[in-house]
Amino acid sequence: MSPNHAAAMRQSAVNTEFFKSTLIAGVLPDSDSTRPRKILDFGAAHASTIAHLQRTFWGRLTVLDLISQASEINALLSDDEASEQRATVLEDSFEPCIGQAYDLVLMWDFALHLSDANLNWLNDWLDAMLTYDGVAHGFVCHNATRALAAKRWGIAGPDQLEAESGSAELPYQHLRGALSRGLPDFQIDKSVLMKDGRLEFVIRRRETP
């Protein structure tokens, strides 16, 4: 094994972490379900998520990788004069999902790449994409003074998450309150604080009185 290859393997090991999750098992569809569950990975495909789906034979995974486009989406959503361009770009971006209803949306860190002002767009998007009883799973920032590293997340097992750390920090870090205000049609069903300062959460549709 060459020194460079060994160093790369060591670096890879340092950048990959595994987290025990008390929430993910509660949102993963049952393997003996009579209907295949549809899962949307909203942010980035991760090999461990796909591998877990293949091992357990539940669900249908659709990947929508938009983290690299988040700044462009923010600009479009903030520009009142870009309505035609906005419609074209957004429709092209979400083409794999248009007309679909998902039981589970894995937002992972993607919401943290959108500004607070554009969380209302995420609310409308989730409202259109989630089934009535569907849930979304993701992360927000627990403490505004804590810098969060960008990560690629995956499902390593029924109660285990895998994260590959990146070198960049997240451009936006929403607190729980900002998320609640920005997603008025949803409520945080469960949440747990992770060791790196992220708050793992599950959201469901808000019950109408």
Side-chain angles (χ1 to χ4, degrees), residues 33-188:
S33 172
T34 57
R35 179 177 66 86
R37 302 299 183 92
K38 294 176 68 177
I39 299 97
L40 174 65
D41 189 343
F42 178 32
H46 196 290
S48 66
T49 299
I50 296 170
H52 184 71
L53 285 171
Q54 291 174 336
R55 285 196 307 272
T56 54
F57 297 100
W58 55 255
R60 170 184 166 191
L61 179 71
T62 298
V63 173
L64 188 62
D65 188 354
L66 287 174
I67 285 180
S68 61
Q69 296 175 254
S71 59
E72 181 181 0
I73 291 173
N74 267 329
L76 284 172
L77 292 172
S78 304
D79 186 354
D80 293 334
E81 298 179 358
S83 57
E84 289 187 12
Q85 182 187 8
R86 177 191 301 127
T88 301
V89 171
L90 292 181
E91 285 179 10
D92 289 346
S93 298
F94 303 117
E95 187 273 332
C97 302
I98 299 301
Q100 302 286 333
Y102 295 90
D103 300 286
L104 171 62
V105 174
L106 301 172
M107 292 196 296
W108 303 124
D109 275 340
F110 183 77
L112 296 177
H113 289 260
L114 291 173
S115 65
D116 282 353
N118 287 327
L119 286 178
N120 60 346
W121 164 81
L122 182 62
N123 177 84
D124 295 343
W125 186 86
L126 283 172
D127 183 54
M129 295 298 170
L130 269 179
T131 60
Y132 185 77
D133 294 323
V135 299
H137 176 278
F139 309 96
V140 290
C141 184
H142 175 67
N143 188 325
T145 64
R146 187 79 176 264
L148 296 182
K151 294 185 177 182
R152 293 183 67 246
W153 292 86
I155 301 173
D159 60 353
Q160 190 176 48
L161 300 173
E162 180 179 348
E164 297 174 356
S165 299
S167 58
E169 291 184 358
L170 295 172
Y172 301 99
Q173 297 180 26
H174 315 294
L175 297 173
R176 178 178 177 140
L179 187 79
S180 297
R181 291 189 297 272
L183 304 179
D185 293 330
F186 297 87
Q187 61 188 13
I188 295 179

Side-chain angles (χ1 to χ4, degrees), residues 8-19 150-152 162-167:
M9 290 185 66
R10 285 195 300 272
Q11 184 65 27
S12 176
V14 168
N15 289 340
T16 300
E17 303 170 271
F18 291 90
F19 297 89
K151 294 185 177 182
R152 293 183 67 246
E162 180 179 348
E164 297 174 356
S165 299
S167 58

